[in-house]
Amino acid sequence: MPVATREWQLAARPHGEPTPEDFRLVELERPDPADGQIVVRMLAMSVDPYMRGRMNAGKSYAAAWEVGETMKGGAVGRVVASRSPAVAEGALVLADAAWRDVAVLDARHVRVLPELPGVPASYHLGVLGMPGLTAWVGLFRLAEFREGDTVFVSGAAGAVGSLVGQFARLNGAAAVFGSAGTPEKVRWLTDELGFTAAFDYHDGPVAQQLRTAAPDGIDVFFDNVGGEHLEAAIGAFREFGRGALCGAISGYNAVEAQPGPRNMFMMVTKKLSLRGFIVGDHADMRDDFIAKVTPLVTSGELVVRETVREGLDEAVPAFLDLLRGGNTGKMVVRLAD
Amino acid sequence: MPVATREWQLAARPHGEPTPEDFRLVELERPDPADGQIVVRMLAMSVDPYMRGRMNAGKSYAAAWEVGETMKGGAVGRVVASRSPAVAEGALVLADAAWRDVAVLDARHVRVLPELPGVPASYHLGVLGMPGLTAWVGLFRLAEFREGDTVFVSGAAGAVGSLVGQFARLNGAAAVFGSAGTPEKVRWLTDELGFTAAFDYHDGPVAQQLRTAAPDGIDVFFDNVGGEHLEAAIGAFREFGRGALCGAISGYNAVEAQPGPRNMFMMVTKKLSLRGFIVGDHADMRDDFIAKVTPLVTSGELVVRETVREGLDEAVPAFLDLLRGGNTGKMVVRLAD
């Protein structure tokens, strides 16, 4: 008996900011699972900034989505049928398989997740998933964070940034500064996440606001935004400052080359390092990350927030809203209970 | 009996390109050496691009020279009088003590050099000195050069660049590319230093020339020039490319902020690293460097070239000419035989 699914496909490649017309929702019948396959009912799917790159032709760092094919992305789901001895019916699994409500998957392409009492399944898409590991890898490996460092996070109220700031604080940062795009986010950073200070990047030049917040400079920069933020951080770095470059969302919809930092000479004079990275190259840190962060989540020591949209129909609006900064914490689309 | 000296002093801070009027040559009488001091007759002094930064007010990475005071820089000399048991009369020493013909120095501020038969004393200012160690540190520590890497060096015919290219070749680089500012320098790189290919950056956009020379991209970039070269290298990097940023001579005389690389988003998509450095922070590599490079010099395996100007009067013209790229290999001012 074929499996009825609803799936989002890429209808067209956007030029600049994507529009709803670039996507289409289709109803399909997928073949019954073969040997080694499972059927997964998705509980929640992820929309992430990196997906904007997958909409373009050619490789960014993830392979491009093909026009006319179902788009992929991180999702958690419950196995409703299994023809694999490795994954039991009823198991909670993580897969790079949504945007869809039901998927027929090779069992070897999913990861069975632990059942954590009191922890929503969607957390495996955020704090315990790719964004969490991204924050961890960038802060500790790429930026070589050390106790006593002063840290600046751009896009600090996002899925990754909100964790970077907290990981730094919980590990002995001297001070943690963040930028965000609304007054509410700024308040959330300082009042609930324990940032030393934060500012709204709409309120004035980033360099000036960062100088006001951190007049003695910064040691570590975790960049989710790029552009003006990167130039400001280079200017604010103390000697031996270290930047982990995770994303540059300010330029994702750009159709022309963005101006670069005009102060690159400071790379030499202040002996700075900037390192770009993709979390997929650092899977070796995953076990340690899960072991250390899971207790912080279950104990509530780590403040975790999601922006949740309901239902597969909302996936595209959620994604478009994400690119405009409409989320606080991880943006998640809930597909089933 | 006081010691008669001739010394160059900074007469004025330049705005943009320095002119001869920014310097003045004075004759002084320095007090006799006190206990622990020595008198050194300088044999050769160094002019280096970093000195341009010392002409400006405020700290660049070396402390600023003071207006009205004698300028400093690397020099080798012969001890003609000693009141220190640590440094014998007749010893060859390295000091941060010229621009002058004779200096009265604290013995603890000089380094006694080995007498190497057939090796000019001035080599301690170049291949066996600060520029050589700079090339070594940048290539092996900052850019993490590995056998099989493809390397691009900007300003490759300079004191540092000409060594970077050769160190890479002698250590198993797959290919070594370089840029320089004259056709003669380009020929020197390919015909005598063993560069795979080289180009004159006046002949067209650097990005285009680099793409033609290295169509498969580069793994390592050693930057002495900055600006357009840096953007070109970021564009040419393969995944996990590594850049050692040593200097940015293209901007040293600039009075306005220079445009930055417009392709910084590639730092993330290609997982690149850029690391600025100053050789002074890496003195721990010096012994290993000297041990490995001295035999390459005495055996002639390493091609070493100097651009030599004669006499203290020529120090300022030599320096101004250096900033315009008038040297091939190390620029040295010979002060005595």
Side-chain angles (χ1 to χ4, degrees), chain A residues 85-110:
Chain A
V87 181
E89 207 180 296
L92 187 68
V93 295
L94 177 74
D96 180 22
W99 310 24
R100 56 186 136 196
D101 57 357
V102 176
V104 180
L105 301 169
D106 287 355
R108 66 200 158 94
H109 289 159
V110 307

Side-chain angles (χ1 to χ4, degrees), chain A residues 59-61 230 239-240 245-247 257-262 264 267-269 271-278 281, chain B residues 59-61 230 239-240 245-247 257-262 264 267-269 271-278 281:
Chain A
K59 187 172 180 300
S60 66
Y61 47 85
L230 179 54
E239 285 201 340
F240 302 108
L245 307 185
C246 172
Q258 301 291 290
R262 291 162 297 181
M264 287 296 284
M267 293 290 297
V268 182
T269 57
K271 313 135 183 198
L272 307 178
S273 89
L274 293 178
R275 301 170 76 185
F277 74 106
I278 307 293
D281 296 313
Chain B
K59 188 170 182 297
S60 66
Y61 48 85
L230 179 54
E239 284 200 340
F240 302 108
L245 308 185
C246 172
Q258 302 291 289
R262 292 161 297 181
M264 288 296 284
M267 294 290 297
V268 182
T269 57
K271 312 134 183 201
L272 307 178
S273 89
L274 293 178
R275 301 170 74 184
F277 74 106
I278 307 293
D281 296 313

Side-chain angles (χ1 to χ4, degrees), chain A residues 114 124 127-129 133 285-295:
Chain A
H124 296 287
V127 59
L128 296 175
L133 183 57
M285 292 186 83
R286 198 179 163 279
D287 289 348
D288 185 50
F289 156 73
I290 291 289
K292 294 218 171 79
V293 175
T294 303

Side-chain angles (χ1 to χ4, degrees), chain B residues 57-122:
Chain B
K59 188 170 182 297
S60 66
Y61 48 85
W65 287 328
E66 295 303 322
V67 173
E69 296 203 344
T70 298
M71 301 178 300
K72 291 189 175 173
V76 285
R78 193 63 77 180
V79 177
V80 293
S82 174
R83 292 191 59 188
S84 159
V87 181
E89 205 179 296
L92 187 68
V93 295
L94 177 75
D96 181 23
W99 313 25
R100 56 186 138 195
D101 57 356
V102 177
V104 180
L105 302 169
D106 286 354
R108 67 202 157 93
H109 289 159
V110 306
R111 180 190 298 138
V112 176
L113 296 168
E115 308 278 347
L116 299 172
V119 173
S122 55

